[in-house]
Amino acid sequence: MSQTQVKATALLCRLLERDKPEINGQALVTDHADAATHLLRERLLVLGRTLDWVTCPECSVETARVMRELSPDRIALRCPDCADVEALRRLRETHKVALQRVIAALLNGLGLSANGLKPIDHELTWRLGTTEPSRGKALTWYFARRLSRADVAVRLREQIALERTTTSCVVLTSSELPLPPASPVVGFDVRSLPNVARIGQSRFEFFAERQALPGPQTIAEVDPVTTAMTTLQYVRAHSKVFVDGVGHALEPRQQSILLALIDDLDHELDKDALKSACGSQAQRFSPSKEFDRNPLVYKTFIRYLRDDERYALIIPNGDRTWRR
């Protein structure tokens, strides 16, 4: 494994997590020389805007004005403290991530066509496409940057729910894991890009042995018992809910009902839609009867709206990031 490729992948992900994924040319060469060279060679980093004001290289305090170019490599500055100063041209250059090339490299690495690519949230989340690693089992791949932001995670979760790929998706991210405990994508298969791939030539090289590792985002950092939490955050990954810190294991049908309400954009469904979503074949389907052996869970998390004839999810305060 090339250590330079590993460092380049890590640097790229750090840049992707910035509001503006760009870096000063001087900092790029000084702090990340090998990694930066690899990113520049692969054209994943390209020239950004040219600065007219820079931090003076002599005093490292004052802001100096770029006066003129002295040669292809050097520039003249005017610092209010140091007066006339010469510096390398790269001090006024910036480099930015070429997002479309990053996405193209992901597609190449996964063997996906650009025809299946779909931007979800402008320059933040994308659906990459679908693969079939084994016959009859499809995986839909997504990529997200800044996934630790609740609004980004909510928008991605809504799209996944809309495409009905909640149980067959993989989310690649440049964000560090684990995500915040209340993240809207808790329970999904979220994988850190630097942990499962490295930058190669025009593509990301995915480590086959790491793809087999379990990837669901977990929330082991929170102890519902000691914090007396009432939460739905464990439904998808662990088939369990907590009421006042007490865990309640869910039967398969109970889990399906709760997931159907969680994944609905409004968190409300009528009886027929809920029956279809959870795959029930019962002639007389009744959500409340499905929770006969655990009525506290039903009472805590589900409310029947008689006027609308719909079932609504009761979202605990700690889970409010599910809503905008």
Side-chain angles (χ1 to χ4, degrees):
M1 179 188 303
S2 167
Q3 192 62 29
T4 297
Q5 289 174 280
V6 172
K7 290 181 178 179
T9 306
L11 173 60
L12 178 67
C13 287
R14 286 199 296 272
L15 294 175
L16 286 169
E17 290 304 294
R18 296 185 179 185
D19 286 332
K20 295 180 179 179
E22 63 184 20
I23 187 172
N24 178 263
Q26 182 66 37
L28 191 66
V29 172
T30 303
D31 301 330
H32 312 282
D34 292 342
T37 298
H38 189 81
L39 293 177
L40 290 167
R41 184 169 58 245
E42 292 300 320
R43 294 185 295 171
L44 296 175
L45 275 183
V46 296
L47 281 173
R49 60 194 176 94
T50 302
L51 303 176
D52 293 324
W53 295 84
V54 299
T55 300
C56 175
E58 295 291 334
C59 64
S60 300
V61 175
E62 299 290 348
T63 300
R65 183 177 180 180
V66 178
M67 303 302 294
R68 63 186 181 278
E69 294 185 0
L70 300 173
S71 70
D73 296 325
R74 300 191 69 80
I75 54 176
L77 307 175
R78 173 63 57 84
C79 172
D81 188 39
C82 307
D84 294 329
V85 177
E86 287 190 20
L88 291 171
R89 177 184 172 83
R90 61 176 176 244
L91 187 64
R92 72 177 306 206
E93 294 177 341
T94 65
H95 295 269
K96 62 181 180 179
V97 175
L99 284 173
Q100 294 309 311
R101 292 189 184 278
V102 173
I103 300 302
L106 285 169
L107 294 177
N108 288 339
L110 293 168
L112 293 169
S113 165
N115 294 333
L117 178 66
K118 178 180 180 180
I120 299 171
D121 203 351
H122 180 64
E123 296 190 343
L124 288 171
T125 52
W126 297 259
R127 184 192 68 196
L128 301 175
T130 301
T131 62
E132 192 172 350
S134 59
R135 186 170 182 177
K137 183 177 181 180
L139 281 180
T140 302
W141 295 80
Y142 298 85
F143 176 68
R145 50 183 288 257
R146 309 199 70 198
L147 192 57
S148 56
R149 271 177 37 184
D151 61 319
V152 175
V154 166
R155 179 68 186 91
L156 177 60
R157 188 192 64 78
E158 289 177 344
Q159 185 65 32
I160 291 173
L162 188 65
E163 296 178 355
R164 299 182 181 276
T165 57
T166 53
T167 60
S168 59
C169 68
V170 177
V171 179
L172 299 172
T173 183
S174 53
S175 301
E176 290 188 2
L177 299 183
L179 296 173
S183 171
V185 292
V186 162
F188 286 77
D189 190 346
V190 181
R191 304 179 187 179
S192 169
L193 184 58
N195 287 345
V196 299
R198 66 180 180 184
I199 297 170
Q201 293 185 348
S202 303
R203 58 186 291 148
F204 278 90
E205 299 170 354
F206 285 84
F207 310 128
E209 71 278 8
R210 298 188 185 182
Q211 299 305 309
L213 296 176
Q217 165 72 28
T218 62
I219 48 180
E221 301 80 11
V222 176
D223 185 350
V225 177
T226 59
T227 56
M229 286 179 61
T230 294
T231 179
L232 290 158
Q233 295 173 22
Y234 291 76
V235 173
R236 193 182 310 275
H238 302 288
S239 190
K240 180 182 289 188
V241 295
F242 281 82
V243 179
D244 294 329
V246 178
H248 297 265
L250 299 171
E251 299 173 3
R253 185 70 69 201
Q254 295 169 356
Q255 182 191 31
S256 297
I257 290 172
L258 287 173
L259 284 177
L261 291 170
I262 288 170
D263 290 340
D264 182 74
L265 299 184
D266 296 321
H267 308 301
E268 294 183 9
L269 291 169
D270 61 30
K271 182 183 287 189
D272 289 341
L274 189 54
K275 176 181 176 179
S276 175
C278 69
S280 174
Q281 301 296 322
Q283 282 189 332
R284 296 184 177 181
F285 173 71
S286 172
S288 61
K289 288 186 177 180
E290 295 290 349
F291 286 85
D292 271 348
R293 287 181 288 277
N294 208 337
L296 178 61
V297 173
Y298 181 85
K299 180 180 178 180
T300 303
F301 297 110
I302 299 176
R303 179 174 64 249
Y304 180 62
L305 307 175
R306 294 190 180 278
D307 291 343
D308 299 326
E309 296 184 344
R310 297 170 70 83
Y311 292 86
L313 187 70
I314 301 173
I315 303 177
N317 289 334
D319 297 341
R320 287 291 173 183
T321 49
W322 270 329
R323 289 185 175 177
R324 287 189 179 276

